[in-house]
Amino acid sequence: MTKVEYKHTHIAAKKKLGQNFLTDRNIPRKIVRESGIAPGDRVVEIGPGFGALSTAILEAVPSFTAIEKDHELAGFIRREHPEIELIEGDFLKVPLEPIAGNGRIAVLGNIPYSITSPILFRLLDNRRLISSATLMMQHEVAQRLAAEPGTKEYGILAVQMQAFCEVKYLFKVGRAVFRPRPEVDSAVIRMVPRQEDPVADCDGFRNFVRCAFHQRRKTLLNNLKERYDTTSVPESTLRLRAEALDVAALIDLFNLLRPLEPLAPNAGR
């Protein structure tokens, strides 16, 4: 395992936790600048590690909450940054309501590649508690999040996130500024939850998106006909593939559809 030295501390990066530590101090400052956080904001950092991003956050706010799963690194942050409220635990399980209180949280983090999607959907599910999320992740995933219709990156992740959040690709981060060095580049994105949900049935919309993109080379009609009544949808739309429609058009399509009633047990026998 790669050992990272920071202030005379040697801690092995744990591959199973997807740990890659930033070594360029300019990048954390840029992330904080792009996040727009200011004194008085409630801030949460996901996985502070050795505190590269934490130090930059403290230049903008006097104190904040950090959630760290690794026991050794949690101890390190407690020693080096006592002004940080450190929660030792898994971000996917730590309750966010007590941290938000009566306000909303600005989330920042260099998140592990292996659990990027679960983190994104945890933020999406808790979007009423989130003011913004500025995150560094695998470059390919960042591209998919911010993708536009008609591109190969545009798919389920882009539509589900862009429907409920404004998503902006900010900048690319090369792999050379991490220890241990990952095999891929990273990028930083910023998400801001929309003030109102665009659909009343959020879970239904997410299921619809998965169905519409189920087989990318098939038309919307072929992907949807087994699950939805499509008689209210113009035939010209149904002949398209899902990737041809922007998020607003997919929302309009969802509102025209009605799920088919599931067959009762032994129906048709």
Short mmCIF file of all heavy atoms in Angstrom, two decimals, residues 140-173:
data_model
loop_
_atom_site.label_atom_id
_atom_site.label_comp_id
_atom_site.label_asym_id
_atom_site.label_seq_id
_atom_site.Cartn_x
_atom_site.Cartn_y
_atom_site.Cartn_z
N GLU A 140 -14.93 10.75 -16.02
CA GLU A 140 -15.97 10.14 -16.86
C GLU A 140 -17.35 10.31 -16.24
O GLU A 140 -18.33 10.58 -16.95
CB GLU A 140 -15.67 8.65 -17.04
CG GLU A 140 -16.68 7.90 -17.89
CD GLU A 140 -16.38 6.43 -17.98
OE1 GLU A 140 -15.23 6.03 -17.69
OE2 GLU A 140 -17.30 5.66 -18.33
N VAL A 141 -17.45 10.17 -14.92
CA VAL A 141 -18.74 10.32 -14.25
C VAL A 141 -19.20 11.78 -14.30
O VAL A 141 -20.38 12.08 -14.51
CB VAL A 141 -18.67 9.82 -12.80
CG1 VAL A 141 -20.01 10.02 -12.08
CG2 VAL A 141 -18.28 8.35 -12.76
N ALA A 142 -18.27 12.71 -14.11
CA ALA A 142 -18.60 14.13 -14.20
C ALA A 142 -19.15 14.48 -15.58
O ALA A 142 -20.11 15.25 -15.71
CB ALA A 142 -17.37 14.98 -13.89
N GLN A 143 -18.54 13.91 -16.62
CA GLN A 143 -19.02 14.13 -17.97
C GLN A 143 -20.44 13.60 -18.14
O GLN A 143 -21.28 14.23 -18.78
CB GLN A 143 -18.09 13.47 -18.99
CG GLN A 143 -16.75 14.18 -19.17
CD GLN A 143 -15.89 13.49 -20.20
OE1 GLN A 143 -15.65 12.29 -20.12
NE2 GLN A 143 -15.43 14.24 -21.18
N ARG A 144 -20.70 12.44 -17.58
CA ARG A 144 -22.04 11.85 -17.68
C ARG A 144 -23.08 12.69 -16.94
O ARG A 144 -24.22 12.83 -17.39
CB ARG A 144 -22.02 10.43 -17.14
CG ARG A 144 -21.31 9.43 -18.05
CD ARG A 144 -21.05 8.12 -17.33
NE ARG A 144 -22.26 7.56 -16.74
CZ ARG A 144 -22.29 6.70 -15.74
NH1 ARG A 144 -21.14 6.31 -15.19
NH2 ARG A 144 -23.43 6.25 -15.27
N LEU A 145 -22.68 13.24 -15.80
CA LEU A 145 -23.61 14.06 -15.01
C LEU A 145 -24.06 15.30 -15.77
O LEU A 145 -25.22 15.70 -15.71
CB LEU A 145 -22.94 14.49 -13.71
CG LEU A 145 -23.05 13.59 -12.50
CD1 LEU A 145 -22.23 14.16 -11.37
CD2 LEU A 145 -24.50 13.44 -12.08
N ALA A 146 -23.11 15.93 -16.46
CA ALA A 146 -23.38 17.21 -17.12
C ALA A 146 -23.69 17.05 -18.61
O ALA A 146 -23.78 18.05 -19.33
CB ALA A 146 -22.19 18.14 -16.93
N ALA A 147 -23.86 15.82 -19.08
CA ALA A 147 -23.99 15.55 -20.52
C ALA A 147 -25.24 16.18 -21.12
O ALA A 147 -26.25 16.39 -20.45
CB ALA A 147 -24.01 14.05 -20.75
N GLU A 148 -25.14 16.49 -22.41
CA GLU A 148 -26.25 17.06 -23.15
C GLU A 148 -26.87 16.01 -24.07
O GLU A 148 -26.21 15.03 -24.44
CB GLU A 148 -25.76 18.26 -23.97
CG GLU A 148 -25.24 19.40 -23.11
CD GLU A 148 -24.82 20.60 -23.94
OE1 GLU A 148 -24.81 20.50 -25.18
OE2 GLU A 148 -24.48 21.63 -23.32
N PRO A 149 -28.14 16.21 -24.47
CA PRO A 149 -28.81 15.23 -25.34
C PRO A 149 -28.02 14.99 -26.63
O PRO A 149 -27.34 15.89 -27.14
CB PRO A 149 -30.15 15.90 -25.65
CG PRO A 149 -30.37 16.84 -24.52
CD PRO A 149 -29.03 17.32 -24.10
N GLY A 150 -28.11 13.76 -27.12
CA GLY A 150 -27.46 13.42 -28.38
C GLY A 150 -26.02 13.01 -28.25
O GLY A 150 -25.39 12.65 -29.25
N THR A 151 -25.46 13.06 -27.03
CA THR A 151 -24.08 12.64 -26.82
C THR A 151 -24.08 11.24 -26.21
O THR A 151 -25.05 10.80 -25.60
CB THR A 151 -23.34 13.60 -25.89
OG1 THR A 151 -23.97 13.58 -24.59
CG2 THR A 151 -23.38 15.01 -26.43
N LYS A 152 -22.94 10.55 -26.36
CA LYS A 152 -22.86 9.18 -25.84
C LYS A 152 -22.89 9.16 -24.31
O LYS A 152 -23.27 8.14 -23.71
CB LYS A 152 -21.59 8.50 -26.36
CG LYS A 152 -20.29 9.10 -25.86
CD LYS A 152 -19.08 8.33 -26.40
CE LYS A 152 -17.77 8.90 -25.87
NZ LYS A 152 -16.60 8.15 -26.35
N GLU A 153 -22.51 10.27 -23.66
CA GLU A 153 -22.51 10.32 -22.19
C GLU A 153 -23.91 10.55 -21.62
O GLU A 153 -24.15 10.29 -20.44
CB GLU A 153 -21.57 11.44 -21.69
CG GLU A 153 -20.10 11.21 -21.97
CD GLU A 153 -19.68 11.66 -23.36
OE1 GLU A 153 -20.50 12.31 -24.05
OE2 GLU A 153 -18.55 11.34 -23.77
N TYR A 154 -24.82 11.06 -22.46
CA TYR A 154 -26.17 11.43 -21.98
C TYR A 154 -26.99 10.17 -21.74
O TYR A 154 -27.17 9.35 -22.64
CB TYR A 154 -26.84 12.30 -23.03
CG TYR A 154 -28.20 12.84 -22.66
CD1 TYR A 154 -28.34 13.85 -21.72
CD2 TYR A 154 -29.35 12.38 -23.29
CE1 TYR A 154 -29.58 14.38 -21.40
CE2 TYR A 154 -30.60 12.91 -23.01
CZ TYR A 154 -30.71 13.90 -22.06
OH TYR A 154 -31.95 14.43 -21.75
N GLY A 155 -27.47 10.02 -20.50
CA GLY A 155 -28.23 8.82 -20.19
C GLY A 155 -28.96 8.96 -18.87
O GLY A 155 -29.33 10.05 -18.44
N ILE A 156 -29.12 7.82 -18.21
CA ILE A 156 -29.93 7.76 -16.99
C ILE A 156 -29.41 8.72 -15.92
O ILE A 156 -30.18 9.47 -15.31
CB ILE A 156 -29.95 6.32 -16.45
CG1 ILE A 156 -30.69 5.41 -17.43
CG2 ILE A 156 -30.61 6.26 -15.08
CD1 ILE A 156 -30.59 3.93 -17.09
N LEU A 157 -28.10 8.69 -15.66
CA LEU A 157 -27.54 9.53 -14.60
C LEU A 157 -27.75 11.01 -14.89
O LEU A 157 -28.18 11.77 -14.01
CB LEU A 157 -26.05 9.23 -14.45
CG LEU A 157 -25.34 9.96 -13.30
CD1 LEU A 157 -25.94 9.57 -11.96
CD2 LEU A 157 -23.84 9.65 -13.32
N ALA A 158 -27.48 11.44 -16.12
CA ALA A 158 -27.65 12.85 -16.48
C ALA A 158 -29.09 13.30 -16.29
O ALA A 158 -29.36 14.35 -15.68
CB ALA A 158 -27.21 13.08 -17.93
N VAL A 159 -30.03 12.52 -16.79
CA VAL A 159 -31.45 12.93 -16.73
C VAL A 159 -31.95 12.94 -15.30
O VAL A 159 -32.62 13.89 -14.87
CB VAL A 159 -32.31 12.01 -17.62
CG1 VAL A 159 -33.79 12.34 -17.45
CG2 VAL A 159 -31.90 12.15 -19.08
N GLN A 160 -31.64 11.88 -14.54
CA GLN A 160 -32.15 11.83 -13.17
C GLN A 160 -31.59 12.95 -12.31
O GLN A 160 -32.31 13.53 -11.48
CB GLN A 160 -31.81 10.47 -12.55
CG GLN A 160 -32.62 9.33 -13.15
CD GLN A 160 -32.44 8.03 -12.41
OE1 GLN A 160 -31.54 7.88 -11.59
NE2 GLN A 160 -33.30 7.07 -12.68
N MET A 161 -30.32 13.31 -12.51
CA MET A 161 -29.74 14.38 -11.70
C MET A 161 -30.14 15.76 -12.21
O MET A 161 -30.48 16.65 -11.42
CB MET A 161 -28.22 14.24 -11.67
CG MET A 161 -27.70 12.93 -11.09
SD MET A 161 -28.30 12.54 -9.43
CE MET A 161 -27.50 13.83 -8.50
N GLN A 162 -30.13 15.95 -13.53
CA GLN A 162 -30.45 17.27 -14.08
C GLN A 162 -31.91 17.64 -13.92
O GLN A 162 -32.27 18.82 -13.89
CB GLN A 162 -30.05 17.34 -15.55
CG GLN A 162 -28.54 17.31 -15.79
CD GLN A 162 -28.19 17.35 -17.26
OE1 GLN A 162 -28.90 17.91 -18.07
NE2 GLN A 162 -27.06 16.73 -17.61
N ALA A 163 -32.78 16.64 -13.80
CA ALA A 163 -34.20 16.93 -13.59
C ALA A 163 -34.43 17.63 -12.26
O ALA A 163 -35.28 18.52 -12.15
CB ALA A 163 -35.02 15.65 -13.67
N PHE A 164 -33.65 17.26 -11.25
CA PHE A 164 -33.88 17.78 -9.90
C PHE A 164 -32.82 18.76 -9.43
O PHE A 164 -32.97 19.38 -8.38
CB PHE A 164 -33.98 16.61 -8.92
CG PHE A 164 -35.10 15.66 -9.24
CD1 PHE A 164 -34.86 14.47 -9.90
CD2 PHE A 164 -36.41 15.97 -8.91
CE1 PHE A 164 -35.89 13.61 -10.22
CE2 PHE A 164 -37.46 15.12 -9.22
CZ PHE A 164 -37.19 13.93 -9.88
N CYS A 165 -31.74 18.90 -10.21
CA CYS A 165 -30.65 19.80 -9.82
C CYS A 165 -30.09 20.51 -11.06
O CYS A 165 -30.10 19.94 -12.15
CB CYS A 165 -29.49 19.04 -9.17
SG CYS A 165 -29.90 18.08 -7.71
N GLU A 166 -29.61 21.72 -10.86
CA GLU A 166 -28.79 22.35 -11.89
C GLU A 166 -27.38 21.79 -11.75
O GLU A 166 -26.79 21.86 -10.67
CB GLU A 166 -28.77 23.87 -11.71
CG GLU A 166 -30.13 24.53 -11.92
CD GLU A 166 -30.07 26.04 -11.71
OE1 GLU A 166 -28.93 26.58 -11.66
OE2 GLU A 166 -31.12 26.65 -11.56
N VAL A 167 -26.86 21.22 -12.81
CA VAL A 167 -25.56 20.56 -12.77
C VAL A 167 -24.59 21.31 -13.68
O VAL A 167 -24.88 21.56 -14.85
CB VAL A 167 -25.66 19.09 -13.23
CG1 VAL A 167 -24.28 18.42 -13.17
CG2 VAL A 167 -26.66 18.32 -12.37
N LYS A 168 -23.42 21.65 -13.14
CA LYS A 168 -22.41 22.37 -13.92
C LYS A 168 -21.06 21.68 -13.80
O LYS A 168 -20.58 21.43 -12.69
CB LYS A 168 -22.29 23.82 -13.44
CG LYS A 168 -21.32 24.67 -14.26
CD LYS A 168 -21.27 26.10 -13.76
CE LYS A 168 -20.31 26.95 -14.60
NZ LYS A 168 -20.23 28.34 -14.10
N TYR A 169 -20.47 21.36 -14.94
CA TYR A 169 -19.10 20.84 -14.97
C TYR A 169 -18.17 22.04 -14.80
O TYR A 169 -18.24 23.00 -15.56
CB TYR A 169 -18.86 20.15 -16.31
CG TYR A 169 -17.46 19.60 -16.53
CD1 TYR A 169 -17.20 18.24 -16.41
CD2 TYR A 169 -16.41 20.44 -16.87
CE1 TYR A 169 -15.91 17.74 -16.62
CE2 TYR A 169 -15.13 19.95 -17.07
CZ TYR A 169 -14.89 18.60 -16.94
OH TYR A 169 -13.63 18.11 -17.15
N LEU A 170 -17.27 21.97 -13.80
CA LEU A 170 -16.43 23.12 -13.49
C LEU A 170 -15.03 23.01 -14.11
O LEU A 170 -14.65 23.84 -14.91
CB LEU A 170 -16.32 23.27 -11.97
CG LEU A 170 -17.64 23.60 -11.25
CD1 LEU A 170 -17.45 23.61 -9.74
CD2 LEU A 170 -18.21 24.93 -11.73
N PHE A 171 -14.26 22.00 -13.74
CA PHE A 171 -12.92 21.90 -14.30
C PHE A 171 -12.36 20.49 -14.11
O PHE A 171 -12.80 19.74 -13.24
CB PHE A 171 -11.96 22.93 -13.69
CG PHE A 171 -11.82 22.85 -12.19
CD1 PHE A 171 -10.82 22.07 -11.62
CD2 PHE A 171 -12.66 23.56 -11.35
CE1 PHE A 171 -10.66 22.00 -10.24
CE2 PHE A 171 -12.53 23.49 -9.97
CZ PHE A 171 -11.53 22.71 -9.41
N LYS A 172 -11.39 20.16 -14.94
CA LYS A 172 -10.73 18.85 -14.91
C LYS A 172 -9.53 18.88 -13.97
O LYS A 172 -8.88 19.92 -13.82
CB LYS A 172 -10.28 18.47 -16.33
CG LYS A 172 -9.71 17.07 -16.48
CD LYS A 172 -9.39 16.80 -17.94
CE LYS A 172 -8.83 15.39 -18.14
NZ LYS A 172 -8.55 15.12 -19.57
N VAL A 173 -9.25 17.75 -13.33
CA VAL A 173 -8.10 17.62 -12.43
C VAL A 173 -7.30 16.40 -12.87
O VAL A 173 -7.82 15.27 -12.87
CB VAL A 173 -8.55 17.45 -10.96
CG1 VAL A 173 -7.33 17.34 -10.05
CG2 VAL A 173 -9.44 18.61 -10.53
#
